[in-house]
Amino acid sequence: MSVPFTVGYRLGECAAPQWQPNRAYSAIAEKVGFQGIIYKVKHWSYNFQPDKAGPYDAWLAYSYCDGSELTD
């Protein structure tokens, strides 16, 4: 049995900074936390909520906030 471990993670918090709607995200692969999931930006984004993203939008779901892998 393995337990995921993410450096910088505190129980109940997210390993990435929380998404802020009034901030422009432009650094490719920059990560944000939103509702328990870490998303990484694929291209420039401003005021576009990460969980509303589709395959051609700015955000890609990356992992859970504790760093564990997303499952279906």
Side-chain angles (χ1 to χ4, degrees):
M1 178 180 176
S2 66
V3 177
F5 177 74
T6 302
V7 175
Y9 173 74
R10 290 185 186 174
L11 191 59
E13 294 183 11
C14 193
Q18 289 299 307
W19 173 74
Q20 298 174 27
N22 296 323
R23 179 171 174 239
Y25 295 93
S26 61
I28 301 301
E30 183 174 5
K31 296 174 188 165
V32 297
F34 184 76
Q35 296 183 345
I37 296 178
I38 294 176
Y39 294 85
K40 63 181 180 177
V41 72
K42 297 187 293 184
H43 55 77
W44 189 89
S45 176
Y46 177 78
N47 201 20
F48 189 83
Q49 193 169 306
D51 69 333
K52 304 294 183 198
Y56 303 105
D57 292 319
W59 296 102
L60 174 68
Y62 181 73
S63 70
Y64 289 107
C65 268
D66 66 1
S68 61
E69 188 175 319
L70 291 172
T71 57
D72 292 334

